[in-house]
Amino acid sequence: MYAELKRALNDIAAENSLLESEVNITAKILTPEEAIGKTERRDFPLLQGRESLIQADFKGALGQAFTDTPKTFRGRLKEILKLRLTDNGKRALFVATLNALLRYKCIINDTVHCKDNGPELCAGEMAGAIIEKYGPDINIGIVGFQPAIIDNFSKRLSAENMKVTDFDKDNINRIKYGVPVWDGRKMTEELIKTCDVILATGSTIVNDSLSQLISLSGKYQKPLYLYGTTIAGASKLLNLKRLCFQSS
């Protein structure tokens, strides 16, 4: 998957004579307020210090990526393509840059995270859209702890119709908004096997778990939706379903 994305990025850059040009790409670690503004809900992983949002600036076009291993970078596009994508920090740099370049070329938009009340509005729209499409008795599997999304689904569905996984040990085996949080390293297949629809954070492209999700959703014939700005470019290039209602 990463090789395919690298080829796509290289081809777009080469076709537009951007590989050798003197272009600076700056990955900036955003503060929580810069990333999502002021929000009443305080249990977003970003606000708890468990994740960071980095931002790549490519000729004024912005691309973002969530990561638990933030790094900064300044250099040429061809240097990003030389990165060995062996850890979350390097993958985040690559993904943010991919998003920025595709935004610059007008291939995608909506690459900047929503702020203030945006996450709450987006979560409500997301829950409403999926329940309208699949019905009020849907069993939804949510990959990744995103409090606004879980809360909005829990107001529309019973706890028995929801399953959640996460990698954060502080969330695993806890009850969040009435729903138990499973260990994503052990229970992902069980979640996909037993749910009707899967909704996953786009940061799975950074933590290297997206390939497994795609494979398992195919194995069990379950629709997979990804959300957020991190997955903006990859969802376009890999033809994946993406939900992101309030980003810009």
Side-chain angles (χ1 to χ4, degrees), residues 53-244:
L53 186 64
I54 67 167
Q55 181 168 280
D57 185 331
F58 186 86
K59 291 180 173 287
L62 304 179
Q64 298 179 336
F66 273 101
T67 179
D68 61 353
T69 315
K71 298 177 183 291
T72 59
F73 173 88
R74 187 175 180 88
R76 298 181 182 181
L77 181 58
K78 65 180 183 181
E79 294 175 74
I80 287 288
L81 285 163
K82 291 178 181 177
L83 289 178
R84 296 184 64 191
L85 306 183
T86 54
D87 61 61
N88 289 356
K90 291 175 183 175
R91 285 191 289 265
L93 288 175
F94 171 77
V95 168
T97 302
L98 174 70
N99 290 337
L101 177 64
L102 295 186
R103 178 69 179 259
Y104 172 71
K105 292 303 299 175
C106 300
I107 296 172
I108 60 172
N109 50 30
D110 299 334
T111 59
V112 177
H113 201 286
C114 56
K115 294 184 178 183
D116 302 327
N117 199 39
E120 208 70 42
L121 293 172
C122 180
E125 290 184 75
M126 202 175 295
I130 288 181
I131 291 171
E132 181 179 0
K133 182 175 178 64
Y134 294 99
D137 296 323
I138 180 181
N139 286 290
I140 182 78
I142 301 175
V143 177
F145 177 73
Q146 208 280 13
I149 291 175
I150 296 169
D151 189 16
N152 273 273
F153 271 103
S154 71
K155 292 173 180 176
R156 294 167 168 84
L157 302 173
S158 68
E160 291 75 19
N161 287 56
M162 297 178 62
K163 292 181 175 66
V164 177
T165 60
D166 198 40
F167 283 172
D168 189 337
K169 66 181 186 304
D170 291 333
N171 292 327
I172 293 168
N173 296 324
R174 302 283 183 88
I175 304 295
K176 300 286 187 174
Y177 302 99
V179 183
V181 180
W182 292 354
D183 187 341
R185 293 173 181 82
K186 301 175 181 178
M187 300 296 289
T188 296
E189 183 163 7
E190 180 67 14
L191 177 141
I192 292 176
K193 181 179 179 180
T194 56
C195 290
D196 301 318
V197 177
I198 312 305
L199 178 64
T201 170
S203 60
T204 51
I205 187 71
V206 170
N207 68 26
D208 200 25
S209 60
L210 179 57
S211 293
Q212 180 195 30
L213 292 179
I214 294 172
S215 176
L216 289 172
S217 67
K219 175 181 177 180
Y220 292 107
Q221 294 294 294
K222 303 296 175 70
L224 171 65
Y225 291 85
L226 298 149
Y227 65 84
T229 56
T230 305
I231 198 66
S235 64
K236 178 69 174 181
L237 296 176
L238 300 175
N239 197 30
L240 303 172
K241 299 183 183 73
R242 177 189 176 219
L243 299 174
C244 202

Side-chain angles (χ1 to χ4, degrees), residues 8-24:
L9 180 60
N10 181 81
D11 290 347
I12 293 168
E15 289 169 5
N16 293 277
S17 303
L18 296 171
L19 286 172
E20 298 297 332
S21 61
E22 296 293 328
V23 176
N24 287 322

Side-chain angles (χ1 to χ4, degrees), residues 42-60:
R42 306 307 297 172
D43 53 350
F44 287 106
L46 182 66
L47 298 179
Q48 300 293 315
R50 299 186 183 112
E51 285 187 340
S52 295
L53 186 64
I54 67 167
Q55 181 168 280
D57 185 331
F58 186 86
K59 291 180 173 287

